[in-house]
Amino acid sequence: MSNKSVVLRRIKQPSMAKAIRQYCVACGGGQPVEVRDCVLTRCPLFPYRFGCNPKSAENRLRKHYHVEFLE
């Protein structure tokens, strides 16, 4: 495991995927196609794109980062 770290906020609302999608679209200049073409792998939201299950994203992140949670 590396010494890289990522901090995630625990969100209890079921609309987390929609919120992430909105953020990604806004980051891509309002163009939804830019979400699929995104190459910003350092973005902590990158693994959550496309409605990905947050737990599986957490498991994937743990392979490369130390994952911390904000309560």
Side-chain angles (χ1 to χ4, degrees):
M1 184 170 8
S2 71
N3 60 357
K4 297 177 191 175
S5 183
V6 63
V7 177
L8 304 174
R9 180 180 302 268
R10 286 209 192 272
I11 299 177
K12 298 176 184 175
Q13 299 296 324
S15 63
M16 184 167 88
K18 289 180 183 178
I20 291 170
R21 174 76 177 169
Q22 287 176 345
Y23 179 85
C24 289
V25 170
C27 180
Q31 300 297 319
V33 70
E34 293 298 323
V35 177
R36 180 163 305 280
D37 296 337
C38 179
V39 295
L40 301 175
T41 57
R42 290 183 165 215
C43 174
L45 296 177
F46 187 83
Y48 291 89
R49 298 170 311 143
F50 313 117
C52 180
N53 180 332
K55 189 63 177 170
S56 68
E58 175 188 341
N59 291 337
R60 282 194 314 270
L61 281 171
R62 285 191 188 280
K63 293 178 185 176
H64 303 286
Y65 300 97
H66 169 73
V67 178
E68 299 176 22
F69 287 96
L70 300 175
E71 295 300 327

